[in-house]
Amino acid sequence: MVRVVDELDLDADGATLTAALTDIASVSGEEKPLADAIERVLTRLPHLAVDRFGNTLIARTSLGLPERVVLAGHIDTVPHAGNFPSSFDPERTRLTGCGTSDMKSGVAVQLRLASGLRAPSRDVTYVFYECEEVDVARNGLYRLSRSDPSLLGGDFAVLLEPSGGAVEGGCQGTLRATVTATGARAHTARSWMGRNAIHEAGAILELLRAWVARRPVVDGLEYHGGLNAVAISGGVAGNVVPDSCVVTVNYRFAPDRSAAEAEEYIRSLFSSWEVSVLDVAGGALPGLSAPAAAAFVAAVGGTPRAKLGWTDVARFAELGIPAVNYGPGIPETAHTSGEYVEVAAIAECESRLRAWLS
Amino acid sequence: MVRVVDELDLDADGATLTAALTDIASVSGEEKPLADAIERVLTRLPHLAVDRFGNTLIARTSLGLPERVVLAGHIDTVPHAGNFPSSFDPERTRLTGCGTSDMKSGVAVQLRLASGLRAPSRDVTYVFYECEEVDVARNGLYRLSRSDPSLLGGDFAVLLEPSGGAVEGGCQGTLRATVTATGARAHTARSWMGRNAIHEAGAILELLRAWVARRPVVDGLEYHGGLNAVAISGGVAGNVVPDSCVVTVNYRFAPDRSAAEAEEYIRSLFSSWEVSVLDVAGGALPGLSAPAAAAFVAAVGGTPRAKLGWTDVARFAELGIPAVNYGPGIPETAHTSGEYVEVAAIAECESRLRAWLS
């Protein structure tokens, strides 16, 4: 039986709130129930002005302080993988479930700060946005950066993406493209009259299996690229040699390579086939030498490392706002069926951000 | 613009009738308009008793003759491939279009004989059936052989499948199975945490590309097996390393191998993966030494050869009725976008069958 949770209690501890957020399903495109629940609690907080765009919410203090910071997080998840709803282990040290790390725990920290910090040391803009896990064109933060960029203005931004409690600088870019193998149809009873496009696609998969990732060091942080088939499809009928097979690949690239360079690389790598680029989002250089970033790193402590996932840090970089990733989730578990978050990490992240903003 | 043809003229020549039949689309599962049109013309022929089961039609003479023969053909086609409607070449020697060879030209010959042979030398049962190009369970002849086998009774059967005007003996068996590669999900930004099932499926495709067909000689006729991927699918989301990739294969095997042996062979060949057999239909031995088959071959002439496609000859073999393939279509063009039939071959086939039955 699936638990039905539709009211959020911001006075509960961060882990309890994370569980409640996790148990309101919000696979990309289906965030409305969760956005509604978040809107209900935010509009009860008198020190915040709340705006809504689709399933994206912005809540802001307006205290006239000399600095404004942005705390942002996406509210969607990848599709469930037998890991919904969430569950605590018996000792309550760990919460398992789809989105616990990526990034309902970060959203829980945002909400706890939004509720508790009535008089922060800097004006704060909280952003809760939709569709981060899908096409860039649907991304709530991207859309807002195009329609109302002034709402995202600030001196520094923190994305509460899973970073294992470390400050993660920059982010890798991501590109998706289809690579199409072609053939010639024939009846399978005389398949030698045709050319099987699915068999031809074997060469694409061989190339993917043999591919070796670059691991460049950029501004002192080591990145690690990736190239994966994320979908494959082909076939006409059960007795027809198929004439087309489409492999969708996702290329992750370190921020020393631009979006244009990444596209050129993929077209060259798969030059034997028809390549169609579906979407591409450039990465962001670490930028930890910017004064605002350095001040934040000093306040929360720890040793910065490279962010391997693409995050909307790149979006803030485009707007000229220094930004880092800093959140309680464990990036290595994101998008896996065993996704979990450590309970202690949620409180730790909240406490450090609260200290920085108090 | 697609021509709309819904009335059939059985007095037109066989090629014109083939074009009319081709231009009533009848992709498997969508045969109703064509079955309706055939039913309308058959029920106007007073010497025939007509029965309908779904989109399958049976028309029989009942002259009390000592021999009864069955002329059977399927009315469905594979999906169109930019080859609908049909077209004649300027010299009108060739008709191109989806189903012209497989097997609207054979159906045209059946209809011309049904209309013209008011007093045949043998009682004749004409069968026009649905869903030959898809799962065995939907095959109209298969269903009839289970529900009303007595309607299919006879001393000899001719399937008007494309055989290039030659008598083709026996048929190859066909088996479909899924072969599943598995992996472990991970975020594509750290793909080394998972195992990409689509990449793993590359080994299945390699095996298919390297596979070499057996070409056994059975009862003097040479067969030629085949093994093809006919579908492939996999993928979870654009940023997830997928944990499953399913390859559907179609195995065509000579009639010296039973359905059970074919299944065992495929399970053994793909023993590194999970194999699930979707359907299997055994072949049929040539059986040209049976008296009725030998008499037919003598009457229509030519040198018999092996039938490579699976045909419902095997269905008649199950019912204990000797059967051969003999039709005007060109099997090598079946299921290709360039499918065509020679106009002269349609008249030739009709003329030889008419002589045999007069």
Side-chain angles (χ1 to χ4, degrees):
Chain A
M1 200 185 74
V2 174
R3 277 177 276 163
V4 175
V5 180
D6 59 6
E7 288 305 325
L8 301 171
D9 176 7
L10 303 191
D11 294 328
D13 64 89
T16 302
L17 181 56
T18 300
L21 290 164
T22 303
D23 295 347
I24 303 178
S26 60
V27 174
S28 307
E30 295 161 14
E31 296 96 333
K32 185 173 185 303
L34 181 55
D36 290 348
I38 293 174
E39 183 178 26
R40 281 195 294 274
V41 292
L42 289 177
T43 51
R44 284 184 209 131
L45 300 171
H47 60 294
L48 295 177
V50 179
D51 290 291
R52 180 167 178 163
F53 302 84
N55 292 318
T56 294
L57 294 152
I58 321 282
R60 287 172 302 156
T61 63
S62 296
L63 303 168
L65 296 171
E67 268 194 304
R68 173 174 292 278
V69 298
V70 182
L71 300 187
H74 65 84
I75 64 171
D76 61 320
T77 70
V78 292
H80 301 164
N83 54 359
F84 181 90
S86 65
S87 60
F88 282 103
D89 62 344
E91 295 78 23
R92 204 182 154 87
T93 59
R94 184 177 280 197
L95 177 67
T96 298
C98 183
T100 48
S101 260
D102 186 12
M103 54 171 283
K104 302 284 179 89
S105 51
V107 172
V109 170
Q110 287 179 268
L111 286 170
R112 292 271 302 154
L113 296 174
S115 165
L117 282 172
R118 310 268 160 151
S121 59
R122 298 163 172 87
D123 268 313
V124 186
T125 302
Y126 302 93
V127 184
F128 305 87
Y129 63 100
E130 64 184 329
C131 286
E132 192 269 349
E133 301 287 9
V134 288
D135 289 351
V136 169
R138 296 168 63 192
N139 180 306
L141 192 68
Y142 166 78
R143 293 166 69 96
L144 204 57
S145 75
R146 291 297 182 273
S147 66
D148 298 85
S150 62
L151 278 176
L152 296 175
D155 301 284
F156 183 59
V158 177
L159 271 173
L160 284 95
E161 288 278 352
S163 75
V167 176
E168 291 189 329
C171 76
Q172 298 199 125
T174 179
L175 175 151
R176 280 186 295 187
T178 57
V179 183
T180 302
T182 56
R185 287 193 194 186
H187 194 300
T188 51
R190 14 188 109 246
S191 49
W192 53 94
M193 305 291 295
R195 209 172 72 253
N196 193 313
I198 296 176
H199 297 194
E200 301 277 324
I204 298 171
L205 302 187
E206 279 311 298
L207 190 156
L208 289 168
R209 284 206 284 188
W211 188 83
V212 177
R214 291 167 66 236
R215 301 173 73 156
V217 174
V218 183
D219 291 359
L221 305 183
E222 185 187 78
Y223 289 86
H224 189 158
L227 180 61
N228 274 273
V230 292
I232 189 166
S233 67
V236 175
N239 54 4
V240 179
V241 172
D243 55 358
S244 175
C245 181
V246 180
V247 182
T248 306
V249 300
N250 181 209
Y251 173 47
R252 300 286 177 146
F253 53 99
D256 61 340
R257 188 168 268 184
S258 71
E261 286 165 346
E263 184 167 337
E264 179 52 35
Y265 172 72
I266 289 297
R267 289 190 186 281
S268 155
L269 187 64
F270 294 106
S271 60
S272 302
W273 298 278
E274 183 190 324
V275 172
S276 175
V277 173
L278 303 177
D279 55 27
V280 55
L285 291 164
L288 294 179
S289 54
F296 172 79
V297 170
V300 302
T303 304
R305 62 186 185 193
K307 183 68 184 178
L308 299 184
W310 188 92
T311 77
D312 281 310
V313 160
R315 196 72 57 214
F316 286 107
E318 276 178 7
L319 296 173
I321 303 170
V324 298
N325 299 285
Y326 176 71
I330 302 167
E332 290 80 358
T333 80
H335 300 202
T336 71
S337 57
E339 180 176 358
Y340 69 90
V341 64
E342 297 286 358
V343 165
I346 304 172
E348 174 77 11
C349 176
E350 178 185 336
S351 159
R352 289 182 185 233
L353 286 175
R354 188 183 298 277
W356 174 53
L357 293 172
S358 294
Chain B
M1 200 184 76
V2 173
R3 275 177 279 164
V4 175
V5 179
D6 57 7
E7 288 306 325
L8 300 172
D9 176 6
L10 303 192
D11 294 327
D13 64 89
T16 302
L17 181 56
T18 300
L21 290 164
T22 303
D23 295 345
I24 303 179
S26 60
V27 174
S28 307
E30 295 161 15
E31 297 94 335
K32 184 172 187 303
L34 181 55
D36 290 348
I38 293 173
E39 184 178 25
R40 280 195 295 274
V41 292
L42 289 176
T43 51
R44 284 184 209 133
L45 300 172
H47 62 293
L48 296 176
V50 178
D51 290 291
R52 180 167 178 163
F53 302 83
N55 293 318
T56 293
L57 294 152
I58 320 283
R60 286 172 303 156
T61 63
S62 296
L63 304 169
L65 297 169
E67 267 195 302
R68 174 175 290 279
V69 298
V70 183
L71 300 187
H74 64 84
I75 64 172
D76 61 321
T77 70
V78 293
H80 301 164
N83 54 358
F84 181 90
S86 65
S87 60
F88 283 103
D89 62 344
E91 295 77 23
R92 203 182 157 88
T93 58
R94 182 178 281 198
L95 177 68
T96 298
C98 184
T100 48
S101 259
D102 186 12
M103 57 173 280
K104 302 284 177 89
S105 50
V107 172
V109 170
Q110 288 180 269
L111 286 170
R112 292 269 304 154
L113 295 174
S115 165
L117 283 172
R118 309 268 160 150
S121 58
R122 300 163 170 87
D123 266 314
V124 187
T125 303
Y126 301 93
V127 184
F128 305 87
Y129 62 100
E130 64 184 329
C131 286
E132 193 267 351
E133 301 288 8
V134 289
D135 288 352
V136 169
R138 296 167 64 192
N139 180 306
L141 192 69
Y142 167 79
R143 294 166 69 96
L144 204 58
S145 75
R146 292 296 182 274
S147 65
D148 298 86
S150 63
L151 278 177
L152 296 175
D155 300 284
F156 182 58
V158 178
L159 271 173
L160 285 94
E161 288 277 352
S163 74
V167 176
E168 291 190 328
C171 78
Q172 297 199 126
T174 178
L175 175 152
R176 279 186 296 187
T178 56
V179 183
T180 302
T182 56
R185 287 193 196 187
H187 195 299
T188 50
R190 16 187 107 247
S191 49
W192 51 95
M193 305 291 295
R195 209 173 70 253
N196 193 314
I198 296 176
H199 297 194
E200 301 279 322
I204 298 172
L205 302 187
E206 279 310 298
L207 191 156
L208 289 168
R209 282 206 285 187
W211 188 84
V212 177
R214 290 168 66 238
R215 301 173 73 154
V217 173
V218 184
D219 292 359
L221 305 184
E222 185 186 79
Y223 290 86
H224 189 159
L227 180 61
N228 274 274
V230 291
I232 189 166
S233 66
V236 176
N239 53 5
V240 179
V241 173
D243 55 358
S244 175
C245 181
V246 180
V247 182
T248 305
V249 299
N250 181 210
Y251 174 46
R252 300 286 177 144
F253 52 98
D256 61 340
R257 188 167 268 184
S258 72
E261 286 165 345
E263 182 166 338
E264 179 54 35
Y265 172 72
I266 289 298
R267 289 190 186 283
S268 154
L269 186 65
F270 295 106
S271 59
S272 302
W273 298 278
E274 185 191 321
V275 172
S276 175
V277 172
L278 302 177
D279 54 27
V280 56
L285 290 164
L288 294 180
S289 53
F296 172 80
V297 171
V300 302
T303 305
R305 61 184 186 193
K307 182 68 186 179
L308 299 183
W310 187 92
T311 77
D312 280 311
V313 160
R315 195 73 57 215
F316 287 106
E318 276 179 8
L319 295 174
I321 304 170
V324 297
N325 300 286
Y326 177 70
I330 303 167
E332 290 80 359
T333 80
H335 299 201
T336 70
S337 57
E339 180 175 358
Y340 70 90
V341 64
E342 297 286 357
V343 165
I346 304 173
E348 174 76 11
C349 176
E350 178 185 336
S351 159
R352 291 184 182 231
L353 286 175
R354 188 184 299 275
W356 175 53
L357 292 172
S358 291

